Every structure is written in structure tokens, then in C-alpha cells.
């Protein structure tokens, strides 16, 4: 077989350099955002530097907007939101830290016991004629990579939250100069998070592989089996971040909306509402920190799944370093592609009107996908030999490099299709959301019926897109093809995250504008940014769910190979009972997270009502609400309530693997994947559509919307109820489900040696 064009030295230079460029670019964006000063300005103080500073200042003077107290107020509100978010994450990480240490010990003990904690070399799993490193080494290195993945995931989420809380008030202040300036500030801030996370994830994984190689030497099968712990660490932290953050944000949001908007008829983010700070804190801990950890987990797992399969294919057997690291080279090129794509939003095209916001964000997705397709073609040509073999359930399948290019490309383009279908069903520019808004004329019940129907219907095309991706990629390159298809979907993660983080930053900016008492026109601008952000957040969730389905299937394939399960036969009772139980798990998990949000929201509603009833002058605006109590209710509820759903996901593979064995566990994984994907898509899209139907009525941009409005009308109240029901669906249960299906699969893969050796205790007894 011919060698690849790119040399091993070239690979060793290319990957870290791309990661460093990504980190440098994110720091540059941060510096530009920090040029917007959060202090009362003089000419040149509020701009981002350059020729327009003085003109901007004059516009503010003419509009009477350059008031010192407004800028100071924005800074105070930003500080309160930042402190609330930091304090919550520190509390959450203390609990998660205890879990992390306990689970790391569990990994070491379980995997070390496979060969009775022996330090002698063992015959290799896939080639008994060769000797490989002892199981104890795999246990130790899997534990280290688990801790590395967990810490990287926590850092990713925390940095994202810090950047978002740093940028929210700056976006509000820039909105005084026009929607274009505010958009660029919010988008640059999102880019800081996107590039930092993508580059950090890549760099840490690359360094870990090289350090592990010092010990493992030529035993690449053992090395990459140990590296799977990185994906497990990333996803287990993401689960707690997503569930905890999701419960926090929605308890506050539901409490603020039900009492503030429905009962008291005051605007969203009104400073008189006691839950308003908790609501804005929630946007950062749920949508930013949770989403950051989630997508990092997907990236880590898809890389690990691809590397595990490659290590037992010709790349690993023949020790071809460059083709072996093909998944990491794709991610490296993805960072450069996303960098060029970002320049189109910040440098090449200027936004001048509200209607240009959404097309600009969609343009980002299209440009990054087109450029990435070219990038993948080049990488497949220079980093892969013209022909090679891929491990396919005990056999080696002959594959050509162009076939692998098609696997990655089909994943990339199906991601775009899922993104656009999600946008069609959740954007208030299209008929599905208009129909949901129209149904509010007859009350909340019809709104709920239409919203649920929309969510179910929105599953059809994404599922077909995922099915085609799976069929094409598996036909060409077996399970490795599916793993790299997932990686293709995530290759533009920096742009995807930038667009995703932009939404909550804009949402916070609108809240700050309302609380600081800025003019109605400023609020209209931030609302327009937020409405576009809502749709892009739904697109981001679509990407996350689609990639989770592919990642989970690739990990499932790696697990079946590692556990030496020859076939997964649905007709055998062991597998079928697993299938049934697995399909039920997403419902059980959703029930837990929904009820958690409901009970936390109940406490929040009672507290907000209490304050309105007992604090004299609160409704008149002469007295201040007690924000801290509401923040505490959300924090306490989310920390307490995140543990049971987390335990369900983490313990299921262990219990099933130990007591029922690998065949039943393979059924559980297949069942949870099949039902979890459907529920996740429908829940996210239903919630997104209800939210944008409410915003459609509030904006009153068309004759139809004005007929349903204004704020406070009966159709608007029905839309608010729909939005409130949708909140836990789109921000807690839906996004957490994609972590459930990935996490159970990667956990099963990490513990596969233990389950294969000691699992199935009940069936051994009977």
C-alpha cells in the first residue's frame, strides 16, 4: 500500500499549529470586544478603535443616549449576572469534582481487575500472536484520560460563560449605535468561545496521544483504547452541566414569565421582576456553559471512536502515524476554515438592517460547509494512502481514500440539512411558526396541540438525513466511516458554537437594555438579535443531536468489537429485553428533568408572588426586589435535582453490563439511541417554535402578527403559556438527551474489557 503524501513530521507540526492559531484568533476577538468600554465615555472610548469613533459619539449625543447613569447601570447589571453565574458554576463543580474522583477510582478498579491487577504483558485483544501492555496500564491511562477530558470539559464551559457575561452589556451599549455594531460584538464574543473550545479540545487530545505513546510504543490498540476515557470524561461533565444548567435557567425563566408576564402584565426582563437576574444568569450557565461542554463531549467522543477503530485497522497495524491521526487533521483544517468563515461576518459584510441578521448567520453555515468540503478533499488526498483496510467486525475491509472523503462529506452536508430543516420549523420567518402563532387565537390548548404536532413532524427529514449518512458511510468504510461522518458534522464546530453562543449573549443584552431603562428602539434592536439567536440556537441543537446519533452508533460499533459480540440478534431474548429497556430510558430521563424544572419553577413562582405581594412599592418601581433569594432558589434546586438523572445515565451501563452482560447492554444502547434521537429532535423543535411564535406576536412585524397582538392580548398570553411549557423541552430535556445516548455508549466502550470478562452475573447463575 502506498504511503500518504503528508509526512509524519508534517502532521506533528500541522495539528498543534492549527490549534495555536485557533487560540490566538479567539484571543484577538476577545481583545476587540474588550475595546467596548463599560465606563461612561468620551470620544473614542466606546468604539472599537478607528475612524468612526467620533461620529459614533456624536450620534449618541444627538440621541441623548450617552448618559453616564445608563452605562453605569449596564455595568452593575452585568456584574450581578457574572457573579451569579460564577457562583453557581463553582458550586456545581464542587459536586461534580467529588463525582469525578469517585468515578475515576471506579474506572481504575474495574479495568485493573480484568487481569487480576497483573503487571505482566498480555496477548493482544485482536491479535493473540502478539504481546501487548497489561490491563493495569489500560486502567491507569484510561483513568488519566478520563480526568483530562473532564477537566477540559469543565474549563470549556467555564471560559464560555465568562466570555458571555463579559460581552452581554457591551452588546447592549453597542446597540445604541445600530444593530450592525451590536451584532458584530455578540458574534465576536461567540467566536471567542467557539475557537477556544475547538482548539483546546484538539490540543489536549493531541498532547495526550503523544505522551501516552511514550509508554505504549508500538501497542497502538492499547494506546487508543486508553484514550477513549477522554470522551467519557468530556461527556460525563457535559451531562451535569447540561442538566444542572438547564434546570437552573428554566426554573428562573418559567417563574419570571408566569408571574411577570401572565399575572402582572409587565414586560420580559422588567427590573421589577424578582426572578429577572436569575433568568439572565440561567442563559449563561445553561445555554453557554452547558452547550460548550456538550459539543466538546461530542467532538472528543467522535475522535475517540474513529481512533479506536483506526488503531485495529491497517493504519494501526502498520503504524502509519499520519493516516492514524486523520480525524485530528480534519479538526485542525476545520479551525482554519472556521477562521476564514468568521471573517465574512465580521470583516467582509456589514449588517445594516435587522432583516440581514438571520441571512448573515445562515451564510456562516453555508460558507463553512462549502470551504470544509474542499478542506476534507485536500486532507483525504494528502493524509491517507490511496488504499488501505478498515476493521469491520473481525474482518479487514478494503477502502479507497476517496470513499473516506465521501464519508466525512456526507456527515458534513447532512449536518447542514438538519440545521436548515430545524431553522425552517423554528424560525418565525416561515409558515410552521406562523401556524403555531395563529393557533393562539383560540387559546393555549390549540397552541400546545399545534406545537407538539410541529415537533413530531420536524423529526422526518433529520432522521432521513441521519439514515442516509449511516448507510453511505457504513457501506464505504464500516464503523470507521460512521465515526468520521460524525466528525465531519462537527468539523465546523468553531463556527457552530460561535453562532450558538451569539444567541444567549443577545438575549442577555436585551435583558440588560430593559433593566437599565434604555429606549424602546434599543430594545427592538436587541430583540431582533435575540430572535435570530433563538433560531440559531435551535440549529445548534439540531447539529448536536445529529452528531450525537452518529457518534453513539460509532461508539456502539467499537463497543461490540471490543466486547467480542459477533452479532446483535434482536430475536434473542437477552438482546430484545435490552432493546425495550433502552427505548424506555429517554422517557424516564425526560420525566426526571421535566419534573425537576416543574418543582423548581413552583418554588420560584411562589417566591416571586410573595415579593410582589409583600414588598410595598415594588410594582410602582419605588422599591427594589430581592434578586438574591431567587438566584439561591435556582442554584439549590438545580444542584439537588441534577443528581438523579445523572445517576440514571451513569449507572445504567454498569448495572446492565455487570448483571446482564454485553449482549443485553448492546440492546440497551441500540434502544436508547433509536428513541432518544426522536424525542430530542421533537422536544427541541417544539420548544423553539413556541418561543418564536411568542416573539412573532410581540414583534408585530406583519399584518398577521399585528392582528394577534399586542403584548398582553389573549393570543399573546396563550403564546406565553406555550413558550413556558416549551422552555424545559428545548433547554433541559431535549439537549440533555443527546448526551444520554453518547454517554451510555462511550461508558460501555471504556468498561467493555471488564464486562466481557466478568459481566452477565445473573445469566451465569441461572
Amino acid at each position: 500500500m502506498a504511503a500518504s503524501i503528508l509526512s509524519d513530521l508534517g502532521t506533528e507540526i500541522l495539528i498543534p499549529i492549527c490549534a495555536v492559531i485557533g487560540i490566538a484568533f479567539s484571543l484577538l476577538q476577545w481583545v476587540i470586544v474588550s475595546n467596548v468600554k463599560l465606563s461612561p465615555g468620551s470620544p473614542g472610548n466606546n468604539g472599537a478603535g478607528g475612524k468612526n469613533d467620533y461620529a459614533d459619539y456624536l450620534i449618541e449625543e444627538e440621541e441623548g443616549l450617552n448618559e453616564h447613569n445608563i452605562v453605569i447601570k449596564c455595568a452593575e447589571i452585568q456584574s450581578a449576572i457574572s457573579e451569579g453565574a460564577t457562583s453557581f458554576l463553582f458550586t456545581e463543580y464542587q459536586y461534580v469534582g467529588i463525582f469525578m474522583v469517585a468515578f475515576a477510582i471506579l474506572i481504575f478498579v474495574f479495568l485493573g481487575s480484568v487481569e487480576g491487577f497483573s503487571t505482566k504483558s498480555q496477548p493482544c485483544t485482536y491479535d493473540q500472536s502478539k504481546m501487548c501492555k497489561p490491563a493495569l496500564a489500560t486502567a491507569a491511562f484510561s483513568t488519566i484520560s478520563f480526568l483530562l477530558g473532564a477537566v477540559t470539559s469543565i474549563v470549556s464551559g467555564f471560559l464560555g460563560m465568562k466570555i458571555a457575561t463579559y460581552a452581554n452589556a457591551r452588546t447592549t451599549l453597542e446597540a445604541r449605535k445600530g444593530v450592525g455594531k451590536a451584532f458584530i460584538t455578540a458574534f465576536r464574543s461567540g467566536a471567542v468561545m467557539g475557537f477556544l473550545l475547538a482548539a483546546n479540545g484538539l490540543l489536549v487530545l493531541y498532547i495526550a496521544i503523544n505522551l501516552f505513546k511514550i509508554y505504549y510504543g508500538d501497542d497502538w490498540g492499547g494506546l487508543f483504547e486508553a484514550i477513549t476515557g477522554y470522551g467519557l470524561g468530556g461527556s460525563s461533565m457535559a451531562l451535569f452541566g447540561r442538566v444542572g444548567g438547564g434546570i437552573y435557567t428554566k426554573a428562573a425563566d418559567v417563574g419570571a414569565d408566569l408571574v411577570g408576564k401572565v399575572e402582572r402584565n409587565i414586560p420580559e426582563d422588567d427590573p421589577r421582576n424578582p426572578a429577572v437576574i436569575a433568568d439572565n444568569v440561567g442563559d449563561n450557565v445553561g445555554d453557554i456553559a452547558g452547550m460548550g461542554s456538550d459539543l466538546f463531549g461530542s467532538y472528543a467522543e467522535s475522535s475517540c471512536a474513529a481512533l479506536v477503530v483506526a488503531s485495529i485497522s491497517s493504519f494501526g497495524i502498520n503504524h502509519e502515524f499520519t493516516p492514524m491521526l486523520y480525524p485530528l487533521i480534519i479538526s485542525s483544517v476545520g479551525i482554519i476554515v472556521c477562521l476564514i468563515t468568521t471573517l465574512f461576518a465580521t470583516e467582509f459584510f456589514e449588517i445594516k438592517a435587522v432583516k440581514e441578521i438571520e441571512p448573515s448567520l445562515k451564510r456562516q453555515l453555508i460558507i463553512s460547509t462549502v470551504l470544509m468540503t474542499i478542506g476534507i478533499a485536500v486532507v483525504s488526498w494528502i493524509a491517507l494512502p490511496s488504499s488501505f483496510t478498515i476493521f469491520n467486525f473481525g474482518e479487514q475491509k478494503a477502502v479507497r481514500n476517496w470513499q473516506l472523503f465521501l464519508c466525512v462529506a456526507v456527515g458534513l452536508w447532512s449536518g447542514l440539512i438538519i440545521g436548515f430543516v430545524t431553522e425552517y420549523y423554528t424560525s418565525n420567518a416561515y409558515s410552521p411558526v406562523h401556524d403555531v402563532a395563529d393557533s393562539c387565537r383560540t387559546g393555549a390548548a390549540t397552541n400546545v396541540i399545534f406545537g407538539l404536532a410541529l415537533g413530531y413532524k420536524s423529526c422526518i427529514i433529520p432522521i432521513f438525513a441521519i439514515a442516509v449518512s449511516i448507510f453511505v458511510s457504513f457501506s464505504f468504510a464500516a464503523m470507521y466511516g460512521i465515526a468520521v461522518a460524525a466528525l465531519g458534522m462537527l468539523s465546523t464546530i468553531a463556527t457552530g458554537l460561535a453562532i450558538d453562543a451569539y444567541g444567549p449573549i443577545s438575549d442577555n443584552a436585551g435583558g440588560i437594555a430593559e433593566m437599565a431603562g434604555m429606549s424602546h428602539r434599543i430594545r427592538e434592536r436587541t430583540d431582533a438579535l435575540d430572535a435570530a439567536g433563538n433560531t440559531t440556537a435551535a440549529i445548534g441543537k439540531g447539529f448536536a443531536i445529529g452528531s450525537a446519533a452518529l457518534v453513539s452508533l460509532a461508539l456502539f460499533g467499537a463497543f461490540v468489537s471490543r466486547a467480542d459480540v459477533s452479532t446483535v440478534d434482536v430475536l434473542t431474548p437477552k438482546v430484545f429485553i435490552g432493546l425495550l429497556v433502552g427505548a424506555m430510558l429517554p422517557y424516564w430521563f425526560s420525566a426526571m428533568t421535566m419534573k425537576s424544572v416543574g418543582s423548581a419553577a413552583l418554588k420560584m413562582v411562589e417566591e416571586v408572588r410573595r415579593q410582589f405581594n409583600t414588598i410595598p412599592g415594588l410594582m410602582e418601581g419605588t422599591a427594589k426586589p430581592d434578586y438574591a433569594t431567587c438566584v439561591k432558589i435556582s442554584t439549590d434546586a438545580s444542584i439537588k435535582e441534577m443528581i438523579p438523572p445523572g445517576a440514571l445515565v451513569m449507572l445504567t451501563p454498569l448495572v446492565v453490563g455487570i448483571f446482564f452482560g454485553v449482549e443485553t447492554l448492546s440492546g440497551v444502547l441500540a434502544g436508547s439511541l433509536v428513541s432518544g434521537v426522536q424525542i430530542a429532535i421533537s422536544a427541541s423543535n417544539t420548544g423553539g417554535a413556541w418561543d418564536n411564535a411568542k416573539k412573532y406576536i410581540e414583534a408585530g412585524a406583519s399584518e398577521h402578527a399585528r392582528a394577534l397582538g399586542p403584548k398582553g392580548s389573549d393570543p399573546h398570553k396563550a403564546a406565553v403559556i406555550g413558550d413556558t411549557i416549551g422552555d424545559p423541552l428545548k433547554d433541559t430535556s431535549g439537549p440533555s438527551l443527546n448526551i444520554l445516548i453518547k454517554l451510555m455508549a462511550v461508558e460501555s466502550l471504556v468498561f467493555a474489557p471488564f464486562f466481557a470478562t466478568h459481566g452477565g452475573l445473573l445469566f451465569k447463575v441461572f
Side-chain angles (χ1 to χ4, degrees):
M1 289 182 201
S4 56
I5 297 169
L6 182 66
S7 68
D8 290 356
L9 179 63
T11 304
E12 284 172 14
I13 294 168
L14 175 72
I15 295 171
I17 279 186
C18 288
V20 169
I21 289 171
I23 292 167
F25 184 71
S26 72
L27 294 176
L28 172 67
Q29 298 302 311
W30 181 77
V31 167
I32 296 170
V33 170
S34 62
N35 281 331
V36 181
K37 300 295 179 214
L38 268 184
S39 54
S42 54
N45 205 23
N46 260 350
K51 60 182 186 301
N52 293 326
D53 279 352
Y54 196 69
D56 289 338
Y57 177 74
L58 288 178
I59 291 165
E60 290 171 19
E61 282 296 301
E62 278 169 33
E63 295 188 358
L65 295 171
N66 200 20
E67 295 169 19
H68 286 211
N69 63 338
I70 278 185
V71 182
I72 290 165
K73 232 176 189 178
C74 285
E76 283 172 1
I77 297 162
Q78 183 219 31
S79 170
I81 293 169
S82 182
E83 279 169 25
T86 307
S87 134
F88 167 73
L89 286 183
F90 272 128
T91 311
E92 182 182 63
Y93 292 155
Q94 282 169 12
Y95 284 85
V96 167
I98 297 165
F99 158 80
M100 199 163 81
V101 173
F103 207 76
I105 294 166
L106 198 69
I107 292 171
F108 182 74
V109 171
F110 274 31
L111 294 185
S113 68
V114 170
E115 300 288 349
F117 296 97
S118 165
T119 53
K120 293 183 185 136
S121 293
Q122 303 293 333
C124 297
T125 310
Y126 300 99
D127 184 356
Q128 298 287 321
S129 62
K130 290 181 182 168
M131 296 302 281
C132 286
K133 300 292 182 191
L136 194 63
T138 304
F141 283 100
S142 293
T143 307
I144 293 166
S145 57
F146 167 77
L147 293 171
L148 264 179
V151 170
T152 312
S153 181
I154 285 174
V155 169
S156 301
F158 186 75
L159 287 177
M161 181 280 296
K162 282 312 248 182
I163 291 149
T165 53
Y166 183 80
N168 50 18
R170 287 170 167 80
T171 304
T172 310
L173 293 177
E174 287 294 272
R176 301 178 304 174
K177 302 170 189 171
V179 76
K181 295 266 187 186
F183 170 80
I184 284 185
T185 303
F187 190 78
R188 280 192 200 280
S189 312
V192 177
M193 178 187 177
F195 283 92
L196 211 50
L197 188 140
N200 269 348
L202 176 66
L203 196 58
V204 173
L205 182 57
Y206 177 73
I207 291 168
I209 289 169
N210 278 295
L211 290 177
F212 284 20
K213 211 158 86 164
I214 296 168
Y215 171 79
Y216 275 98
D218 287 343
D219 178 11
W220 283 16
L223 191 161
F224 291 103
E225 190 176 307
I227 283 288
T228 52
Y230 185 70
L232 176 60
S235 247
S236 52
M237 295 305 107
L239 175 72
F240 291 107
R242 257 296 191 207
V243 174
I247 293 168
Y248 185 108
T249 179
K250 292 304 112 182
D253 200 356
V254 170
D257 282 0
L258 282 181
V259 184
K261 286 189 337 206
V262 177
E263 292 178 11
R264 296 283 171 167
N265 213 9
I266 59 175
E268 192 163 356
D269 298 314
D270 191 296
R272 292 171 291 178
N273 194 327
V276 74
I277 292 288
D279 185 8
N280 281 283
V281 168
D283 291 335
N284 294 292
V285 297
D287 294 350
I288 298 270
M291 173 57 92
S293 293
D294 180 4
L295 281 177
F296 164 75
S298 281
Y299 162 74
E301 283 162 335
S302 56
S303 301
C304 291
L307 290 167
V308 166
V309 180
S311 70
I312 49 176
S313 304
S314 63
F315 303 152
I317 295 163
N318 303 331
H319 300 103
E320 299 169 43
F321 187 68
T322 297
M324 185 70 222
L325 293 191
Y326 176 68
L328 273 69
I329 300 170
I330 290 174
S331 303
S332 307
V333 172
I335 290 173
I336 305 302
V337 162
C338 291
L339 193 155
I340 297 164
T341 308
T342 303
L343 298 178
F344 279 91
T346 58
E347 310 298 330
F348 302 153
F349 295 106
E350 193 182 339
I351 298 240
K352 293 192 172 72
V354 165
K355 65 177 184 291
E356 294 172 18
I357 300 169
E358 217 166 291
S360 176
L361 293 169
K362 277 158 67 178
R363 204 184 299 128
Q364 286 285 298
L365 291 173
I366 295 165
I367 292 168
S368 62
T369 303
V370 171
L371 291 179
M372 194 64 210
T373 307
I374 300 164
I376 295 163
V378 173
V379 167
S380 303
W381 177 51
I382 64 167
L384 294 171
S386 57
S387 65
F388 43 89
T389 63
I390 293 292
F391 183 84
N392 180 25
F393 300 117
E395 298 167 3
Q396 292 288 342
K397 179 183 172 79
V399 180
R400 311 277 301 177
N401 56 2
W402 62 266
Q403 290 175 310
L404 217 47
F405 157 70
L406 288 176
C407 292
V408 186
V410 80
L412 177 66
W413 282 92
S414 63
L416 187 70
I417 291 165
I418 292 169
F420 279 145
V421 169
T422 307
E423 190 234 2
Y424 172 72
Y425 279 105
T426 56
S427 168
N428 54 24
Y430 302 107
S431 59
V433 169
H434 295 175
D435 291 345
V436 171
D438 193 60
S439 70
C440 294
R441 284 183 298 120
T442 47
T446 43
N447 179 28
V448 170
I449 293 165
F450 270 71
L452 288 172
L454 178 147
Y456 298 148
K457 194 177 175 187
S458 71
C459 292
I460 299 167
I461 297 172
I463 293 298
F464 277 120
I466 293 168
V468 169
S469 301
I470 290 168
F471 183 78
V472 170
S473 50
F474 189 86
S475 301
F476 282 145
M479 279 298 170
Y480 187 72
I482 292 171
V484 292
L487 212 59
M489 209 178 269
L490 291 165
S491 58
T492 52
I493 187 173
T495 295
L497 264 172
I499 292 171
D500 234 355
Y502 152 89
I505 291 168
S506 304
D507 192 359
N508 261 207
I512 291 170
E514 184 75 49
M515 285 185 271
M518 293 170 93
S519 75
H520 181 62
R521 197 164 68 259
I522 306 290
R523 182 71 218 225
E524 276 178 358
R525 288 171 188 167
T526 56
D527 274 354
L529 292 172
D530 182 24
N534 253 351
T535 304
T536 56
I539 292 173
K541 283 166 193 152
F543 264 97
I545 295 161
S547 62
L550 293 177
V551 168
S552 179
L553 186 58
L555 290 165
F556 176 67
F559 160 73
V560 169
S561 302
R562 181 63 188 85
D564 203 20
V565 178
S566 49
T567 52
V568 179
D569 185 356
V570 179
L571 296 176
T572 56
K574 279 186 191 176
V575 176
F576 193 77
I577 57 168
L579 208 59
L580 276 178
V581 171
M584 172 274 295
L585 284 173
Y587 290 93
W588 188 1
F589 180 82
S590 297
M592 285 172 135
T593 50
M594 295 278 285
K595 191 154 184 283
S596 298
V597 171
S599 56
L602 198 66
K603 290 178 195 156
M604 188 66 78
V605 167
E606 285 168 358
E607 174 58 24
V608 174
R609 276 183 188 151
R610 185 195 67 75
Q611 291 198 29
F612 273 123
N613 293 331
T614 58
I615 299 176
L618 184 55
M619 269 304 282
E620 293 73 31
T622 53
K624 263 187 144 183
D626 176 10
Y627 298 127
T629 305
C630 291
V631 169
K632 188 173 186 316
I633 287 172
S634 262
T635 303
D636 292 349
S638 54
I639 296 296
K640 187 172 124 233
E641 300 281 356
M642 76 179 180
I643 294 165
L648 173 71
V649 177
M650 299 302 290
L651 294 177
T652 299
L654 293 176
V655 171
V656 174
I658 292 167
F659 293 106
F660 299 94
V662 287
E663 287 177 317
T664 307
L665 181 53
S666 58
V668 168
L669 296 179
S672 64
L673 166 61
V674 169
S675 80
V677 172
Q678 328 279 342
I679 304 171
I681 294 172
S682 63
S684 293
N685 291 349
T686 294
W690 275 329
D691 194 350
N692 271 342
K694 176 201 72 177
K695 283 196 164 61
Y696 172 73
I697 294 171
E698 287 175 352
S702 66
E703 195 60 49
H704 176 237
R706 283 192 288 277
L708 295 167
K711 285 184 185 180
S713 66
D714 284 343
H716 177 250
K717 282 184 176 171
V720 170
I721 290 169
D723 173 39
T724 311
I725 298 167
D727 275 337
L729 284 173
K730 77 174 170 37
D731 289 322
T732 312
S733 297
S736 305
L737 278 172
N738 62 57
I739 304 176
L740 172 136
I741 58 178
K742 292 180 306 188
L743 184 51
M744 284 179 29
V746 75
E747 189 182 336
S748 302
L749 173 59
V750 169
F751 286 103
F754 177 79
F755 296 151
T757 312
H758 301 300
L761 294 179
L762 283 180
F763 291 131
K764 284 175 185 169
V765 172
F766 298 113

